[in-house]
Amino acid sequence: MSTMANETERRQRIRRTAVVLGLVALAFYAGFIAMGVLNS
C-alpha cells in the first residue's frame, strides 16, 4: 500500500515540475516575442 502512495506522490511531483518548467519556457518565449516586437 505504501509503495502505491509513494508512486502517486512521485507522479504528482514530476507533473508539478513539468508544469513549472513549462511556465518558465512560456515566459522566455513570450519575452523573446515581446523583445522582437518592441525592438522592430
Side-chain angles (χ1 to χ4, degrees), residues 1 4 6-9 13-14 18-20 22 24 30 32-33 36-40:
M1 197 68 168
M4 193 73 163
N6 289 344
E7 185 70 20
T8 304
E9 186 181 323
R13 192 161 55 239
I14 290 171
V19 168
V20 169
V24 169
F32 277 115
I33 289 175
V37 168
L38 292 174
N39 287 337
S40 63

Side-chain angles (χ1 to χ4, degrees), residues 14-37:
I14 290 171
R15 186 179 299 129
R16 194 178 309 126
T17 302
V19 168
V20 169
L21 289 177
L23 287 174
V24 169
L26 189 64
F28 271 103
Y29 185 66
F32 277 115
I33 289 175
M35 284 195 312
V37 168

